[in-house]
Amino acid sequence: MFKLSVKSSFLPRFKIRIRMLLIGVINLAGLIILIVVAINAMHTQMIDGRVTMVHNLAEVGRIVIERQYARYKRGEISEANAQQNAVEELRMMRYANGEYFFIDDYNGYSILLPIRPELEGTYVLDLVDHKGRYYVQAQHDAALAGGGTVRYQFTKPGTVKPEEKLAYVLPFEPWGWFIATGIYLDDVDREIGVVIWRAIGFLGVVALITGILIRLLSRGVTVPLGQLTGAIKRLSERDYHTPVVGQFRDDEVGDIARAIEVFKKTGRDFEALQNELREKEEQARVAREVALALERDSAVRLEQTARLISMGEMAMSLAHELNQPLAAVNNYCMGCVRRLEAGSQETPALLAAMKKASEQARRASKIIAQLRKFLQRREPSLKPHSLRSLIEDTASIVAIEARRHAISIDIQLANDLPLVLVDRVMIEQVVHNLLRNAIDAMHDMPIKERKITVRTTIDDMGMMLKTSVIDYGHGVLEADRNKLFEPFYTSKTEGMGVGLNICHSILEFHGGRIWMIPNPLGGAIFEFTLPLADKL
C-alpha cells in the first residue's frame, strides 16, 4: 500500500526530467549506502584481523614465560632467575612498527614496560588514558576473566599524541602475572581513509556519468513528448492538420506518437461524421416540426369533431335541459301580460314574477355559455391548469345527460392538487369522452349501481398526475381490451369508434398516456396521466 501511495501521489507531481534525476539520485544514494556498508565491513574485518594477530602474539609471549617457568620447575634455575630471564627476553622482542610486550601482576604493579621502564615496579592500576578510561584496570579484569581485548589511548613511541590502541591480555597464574601486547589502530584509520577517498572519487565519476546519461535520456524523451503534447493540445482544438512527429521511433515515444496519429485520424473522421449527423438531425428536426404541426392540426380537428359528435349525442338532453327554464320564462311573462291587460296594479306580484323569469333566463344563458365554451375552437396552448377545476367544469356539462339516466357523478379530488401543464379544452374533451362512455356503460344497470367516481393521485415517480374514471357497468370483454384505442373500433351499436382514439392522441400530445383495467367490483376503470407543471 505504501508503494502504491508513493506512485500515485508523489511522482506525478514532477516532470519526467525531475523523475529521472530523482531515480539517478536514489541510485547514487544506494551506491553510497553500499560503499558505507562495505567500508564498515572492511573496518570490522581489519580490526578482527588485528585482534587475531595480537592474540597470537600474546600467546607467543606467554610461551616465553612458560618456558622459563618450566626451567625453574626442573630445577635448572631459581624462580627469581626464571622471572628475570622471561622479562629480559620479552623486553628485547619487537614486531611490526616497534610494538612490544608488557607485563603486570595481579596486585597492580608493573613488571615490564619497555617504552616506559621508569614505571616498572610501580602501582599502575590507577592509570587512565586521555578519555578517562582505567585501561590497566581493564587489562587486569580481562586477565582475571581468562583473557580478552582492551581498547584504550596510549602515546605512540616517538610522538606526543595519544592514539587508539588495541591490546590482548592473557593470564599466567603460577606467578600471578598477565602478559599483553597491542598495536595502534591509526594505520587502520589511514587505510580506511584511503579507501574512502577512492570511493569518493569513484562516486564522483559515477555521478558525472549518471548526470550525462540522465540529461541525454531526458532530452531524448522530454523533447519529443513536448512536441506530442503540443500536437495533442492542437488536436483538442480540432486542428486535425497538425503534424505528429516521432511515429517512426521504435520505443515507447514512437508508440505514443502512432497512437496520437490514430487519434487524429479518428477525430477527423468523427468530425466529418458529426457534420453529417448534424445535417441529418436538422433535416429530421424540420420533418418532426412538420409532422408535429400536422399532428397538432389533426388533434385539434379530431377534438373539435368529437365535441360536435358529443353535442349531437347530447341534443335531446340539452333540449330537455333548456326547455324547463325557457318554459318557465314564458309562463311568468304571459302571467304578467294577462295581469297588465286586466289593468292589475299589483306591482309587488308583477315584480316577483319578473324576477323569477329573469332567474330562469340566466339559468338558460349559463347552459348556453357552457356549451359555447365547450364548442369553441382555438389553437392548442399548454399552460398550468387546475385539474380539479377542469374536471368539475366538464362534469357540470355531462351531468345534464347523467341526470336523464339517474346516474350520479362523485368527484373525489383533493383541494391542493398540483397544477398540470395542459391545453384545457383538449383535456376537457378527454374527460367528457370518458364520462360519456361511463354513462353509456351504466344506463341499463340497476339504479343503485349507477354511479361514476373520479379520483386523482400523484404517481410513484412524482412526475405525473394520474386520474381514474370508475364505472360499475358491464365492463369490457377481454377480447376487446387490446382494440379499445384503435380508430373506428366500437362495441356500441350506434358508436363511431373515435372517442377513445381521440383521447389516446390528445394524451400522447401532452406527454401522458391512457389505459383500462377491469373494476374488481364490476365495470371498468379508465386511467390517464398528465405531466405536472413544476416538473417540466
Side-chain angles (χ1 to χ4, degrees), residues 178-195:
F178 58 88
I179 181 171
T181 185
I183 58 172
Y184 291 93
L185 299 178
D186 56 338
D187 59 334
V188 174
D189 295 335
R190 281 195 302 272
E191 291 183 24
I192 294 298
V194 171
V195 172

Side-chain angles (χ1 to χ4, degrees), residues 24 82 90 121 143 145 234 255 268 274 310 315 324 387 455 467 477 484 512 527 535:
L90 290 172
R234 290 189 293 274
D255 294 338
R268 188 166 53 215
Q274 276 189 322
S310 299
Q324 291 180 352
L387 190 59
R455 295 175 184 155
T467 302
L477 296 176
L484 282 176
E527 295 182 327
K535 299 298 181 182

Side-chain angles (χ1 to χ4, degrees), residues 262-470:
V262 172
F263 172 76
K264 183 178 80 172
K265 293 179 180 178
T266 304
R268 188 166 53 215
D269 295 342
F270 179 71
E271 186 175 32
L273 180 60
Q274 276 189 322
N275 292 332
E276 183 179 353
L277 288 175
R278 277 194 289 268
E279 293 177 0
K280 291 183 177 180
E281 285 179 357
E282 180 62 22
Q283 295 173 358
R285 184 188 65 80
V286 173
R288 282 196 302 271
E289 289 181 354
V290 172
L292 186 60
L294 291 174
E295 181 182 355
R296 182 167 56 247
D297 185 64
S298 176
V300 171
R301 292 178 181 275
L302 284 172
E303 178 262 339
Q304 185 67 19
T305 301
R307 287 177 179 273
L308 294 174
I309 293 172
S310 299
M311 290 300 99
E313 294 174 346
M314 294 176 63
M316 183 178 296
S317 298
L318 291 172
H320 177 74
E321 192 74 12
L322 287 172
N323 183 61
Q324 291 180 352
L326 291 177
V329 169
N330 181 62
N331 291 333
Y332 287 129
C333 289
M334 289 302 297
C336 291
V337 168
R338 291 191 190 97
R339 290 191 179 188
L340 290 172
E341 288 177 346
S344 174
Q345 300 296 323
E346 298 177 4
T347 302
L350 292 173
L351 184 60
M354 294 303 295
K355 285 182 178 181
K356 290 180 180 179
S358 177
E359 289 177 1
Q360 293 299 322
R362 280 197 299 270
R363 177 184 170 190
S365 176
K366 182 178 179 181
I367 293 172
I368 294 172
Q370 287 178 332
L371 292 175
R372 289 184 62 188
K373 181 179 178 183
F374 186 73
L375 290 171
Q376 186 178 8
R377 180 179 178 179
R378 59 181 177 78
E379 289 296 318
S381 174
L382 300 181
K383 295 180 180 178
H385 287 284
S386 167
L387 190 59
R388 178 186 178 90
S389 171
L390 188 152
I391 291 174
E392 287 178 344
D393 288 349
T394 306
S396 66
I397 297 175
V398 179
I400 298 172
E401 181 72 12
R403 285 194 294 270
R404 268 187 75 232
H405 298 286
I407 297 174
S408 64
I409 300 176
D410 183 16
I411 299 176
Q412 300 178 3
L413 304 180
N415 293 322
D416 57 350
L417 286 175
L419 301 180
V420 290
L421 190 66
V422 297
D423 178 90
R424 182 183 183 92
V425 174
M426 285 186 169
I427 301 305
E428 283 179 347
Q429 182 60 51
V430 171
V431 176
H432 181 274
N433 286 355
L434 294 178
L435 291 175
R436 281 299 312 275
N437 285 349
I439 291 172
D440 292 342
M442 291 191 297
H443 69 276
D444 58 350
M445 297 294 291
I447 292 179
K448 63 178 182 179
E449 297 179 9
R450 298 180 189 179
K451 176 183 177 183
I452 301 173
T453 304
V454 182
R455 295 175 184 155
T456 298
T457 58
I458 299 176
D459 70 353
D460 295 336
M461 300 297 292
M463 301 293 292
M464 295 279 188
L465 208 59
K466 183 179 74 174
T467 302
S468 302
V469 178
I470 306 168

